[in-house]
């Protein structure tokens, strides 16, 4: 019996469950525990003086009896072996910590008697996650304009600016799998596999003027943006169809349990629309800026172009997504407008990464010839799973 059979682990860019799985593999290779011993990988739900309750990623709870002789080791986020582990005690384990429990041969069902527990503290994971998220946010990204694989350089259009990404042999390059909307499904890739039109996120060290970055890690994907009115819904199949405003073609979009479906409230949509039009909200901001310039003797700020307004509004909208109310496919209605960022593995078919409903006023306010798009990266910075793109 293997307690983790069928389980899928998640990664926070080397921290959390995937790192623990790597630790387990390394330790097992060293034959420190019997190969037949069952194990469970998950999050601590409850603790007592002698037991743990561990919830695995399938949602199943395991009851773990911890004898005094059990070997408990603490590892740091990012560890892939036990070389730097430190001894710990049952009392050191807290709710929310990530653990791998190696049981005893003969354990059955969801009850384990621990021989060894490898623990990664939730506070340490959160600290590492925050640092990695900040690194992605401070890095950059955008649409790939050109690639020079032999030189290891990538030119990216980032808003109204151009960013040159310099890679090295040590740069980690990952790419979203076809049809997948999960960062943890991203696979190892290469600079040569990156194509113009791809979306890219990078973390690394920026130059002083911000025009280039030496990449530590890159994640890319081929994403499509769609916006338009829902023509039909098929709840059983988990799909919707719409006529894309840009291409004027019908497209079928699958909405899966991994798709992030949100709805923007009418008042927030109206404020975004005003910004796009350069109206009430935009005029207010411009007026304040002009007043400040007058008071300080400075020049008034230049008027924004339609492209600039659309780009800035799109960036703001992407950044606020995680704070908007969630929605379901069942809550959508034929005839309402949506904005979608999706993977597209086949012509005319796509899988939604993010779907935003309630955008009628936003689409109506878009500058002529300028389409506002959402970013596939949920934070407008860090990728999904915590420290990497979603």
């Amino acid at each position: 019996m293997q307690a983790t059979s069928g389980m899928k682990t998640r990664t926070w860019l080397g921290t959390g469950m995937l790192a623990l799985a790597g630790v387990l593999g390394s330790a097992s290779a060293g034959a420190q525990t019997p190969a037949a011993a069952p194990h469970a990988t998950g999050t601590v739900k409850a603790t007592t003086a002698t037991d743990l309750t561990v919830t695995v990623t399938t949602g199943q709870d395991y009851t773990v009896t911890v004898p005094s002789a059990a070997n408990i080791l603490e590892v740091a986020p990012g560890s892939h072996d036990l070389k730097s582990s430190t001894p710990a005690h049952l009392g050191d384990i807290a709710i929310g910590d990530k653990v791998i429990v190696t049981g005893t041969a003969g354990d059955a069902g969801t009850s384990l008697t621990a021989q060894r527990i490898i623990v990664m503290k939730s506070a340490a994971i959160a600290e590492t996650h925050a640092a990695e998220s900040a690194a992605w946010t401070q890095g950059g990204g955008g649409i790939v304009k050109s690639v020079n694989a032999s030189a290891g350089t990538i030119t990216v259009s980032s808003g109204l600016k151009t960013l040159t990404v310099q890679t090295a042999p040590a740069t980690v390059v990952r790419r979203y799998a076809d049809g997948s909307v999960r960062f943890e499904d991203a696979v190892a890739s290469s600079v040569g596999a990156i194509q113009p039109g791809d979306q890219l996120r990078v973390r690394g060290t920026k130059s002083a003027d911000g025009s280039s970055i030496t990449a530590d890690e890159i994640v890319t994907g081929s994403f499509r943006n769609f916006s338009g009115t829902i023509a039909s819904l098929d709840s059983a199949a988990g799909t919707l169809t719409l006529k894309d405003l840009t291409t004027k073609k019908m497209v079928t979009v699958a909405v899966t349990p991994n798709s992030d479906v949100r709805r923007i409230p009418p008042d927030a949509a109206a404020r975004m629309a005003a910004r796009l039009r350069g109206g009430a909200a935009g005029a207010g901001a411009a007026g304040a800026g002009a007043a400040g310039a007058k008071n300080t003797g400075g020049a008034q700020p230049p008027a924004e172009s339609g492209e600039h307004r659309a780009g800035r509004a799109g960036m703001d909208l992407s950044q606020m997504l995680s704070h908007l109310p969630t929605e379901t496919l069942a809550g959508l209605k034929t005839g309402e407008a949506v904005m979608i960022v999706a993977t597209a593995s086949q012509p005319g078919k796509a899988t939604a990464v993010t779907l935003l409903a309630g955008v009628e006023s936003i689409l109506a306010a878009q500058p002529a010839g300028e389409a506002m798009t959402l970013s596939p990266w949920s934070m407008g910075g860090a990728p999904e799973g915590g420290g990497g793109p979603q």
Side-chain angles (χ1 to χ4, degrees):
M1 186 276 294
Q2 189 73 7
T4 54
S5 175
M7 288 169 49
K8 292 185 178 179
T9 57
R10 292 178 60 85
T11 175
W12 284 353
L13 290 183
T15 64
M17 308 310 294
L18 188 60
L20 281 175
V23 172
L24 176 67
S26 174
S28 297
Q32 296 184 34
T33 58
H39 65 272
T41 303
T43 304
V44 176
K45 180 179 181 180
T47 66
T48 71
T50 56
D51 301 279
L52 298 175
T53 301
V54 176
T55 304
V56 300
T57 53
T58 58
Q60 179 67 58
D61 285 346
Y62 281 75
T63 300
V64 180
T65 300
V66 186
S68 59
N71 185 22
I72 303 176
L73 300 171
E74 182 178 331
V75 295
S79 299
H80 291 280
D81 56 45
L82 298 178
K83 294 178 181 178
S84 60
S85 64
T86 57
H89 302 89
L90 178 58
D92 298 326
I93 301 175
I95 294 171
D97 291 348
K98 308 297 183 182
V99 295
I100 291 177
V101 178
T102 301
T104 303
D107 284 346
T110 58
S111 296
L112 300 178
T113 298
Q115 292 187 70
R116 183 183 66 191
I117 300 174
I118 302 170
V119 58
M120 190 176 290
K121 299 295 292 180
S122 60
I125 293 173
E127 183 178 345
T128 301
H129 167 217
E132 290 176 343
S133 294
W136 282 102
T137 301
Q138 293 166 7
I143 306 297
V144 175
K145 294 177 62 178
S146 63
V147 181
N148 186 333
S150 60
T153 58
I154 307 158
T155 303
V156 175
S157 176
S158 182
L160 300 179
K161 299 180 180 179
T162 297
L163 177 69
T164 300
V165 180
Q166 180 64 58
T167 66
T171 301
V172 176
V173 182
R174 293 164 61 85
R175 186 174 184 84
Y176 272 75
D178 286 344
S180 172
V181 299
R182 293 155 49 95
F183 176 70
E184 54 265 47
D185 291 341
V187 297
S189 187
S190 65
V191 173
I194 300 173
Q195 300 295 320
D198 286 349
Q199 297 208 38
L200 177 147
R201 291 298 304 180
V202 56
R203 65 176 179 89
T205 304
K206 274 189 174 180
S207 63
D209 63 1
S211 64
S212 65
I213 184 169
T214 301
D216 294 325
E217 185 166 5
I218 291 171
V219 60
T220 66
S222 180
F223 299 97
R224 297 285 303 278
N225 278 274
F226 305 105
S227 57
T229 301
I230 298 175
S232 64
L233 290 161
D234 187 337
S235 297
T239 62
L240 60 82
T241 60
L242 76 158
K243 185 175 183 179
D244 182 46
L245 292 176
T246 302
T247 64
K248 311 302 181 184
K249 295 180 179 179
M250 298 299 295
V251 61
T252 299
V253 180
V255 180
T256 75
N258 292 315
S259 301
D260 187 18
V261 183
R262 305 274 177 165
R263 180 176 292 277
I264 185 169
D267 58 341
R271 288 194 297 271
M272 189 65 66
R275 168 174 286 186
L276 279 165
R277 288 191 299 266
K294 182 177 180 180
N295 291 336
T296 59
Q300 292 189 10
E304 284 188 301
S305 67
E307 178 186 8
H308 196 174
R309 288 200 305 272
R312 187 160 61 87
M315 182 170 60
D316 291 349
L317 190 55
S318 293
Q319 290 175 336
M320 73 165 65
L321 274 174
S322 62
H323 303 290
L324 296 178
T326 57
E327 182 59 278
T328 64
L329 183 63
L332 301 179
K333 297 179 177 59
T334 301
E336 74 171 314
V338 293
M339 295 175 66
I340 300 171
V341 61
T343 61
S345 56
Q346 300 178 42
K349 293 185 178 180
T351 301
V353 177
T354 301
L355 184 153
L356 181 62
V359 297
E360 287 81 0
S361 59
I362 295 175
L363 296 183
Q366 287 185 153
E370 300 295 343
M372 189 177 79
T373 61
L374 298 175
S375 167
W377 320 127
S378 67
M379 293 178 58
E384 188 220 2
Q390 294 195 18

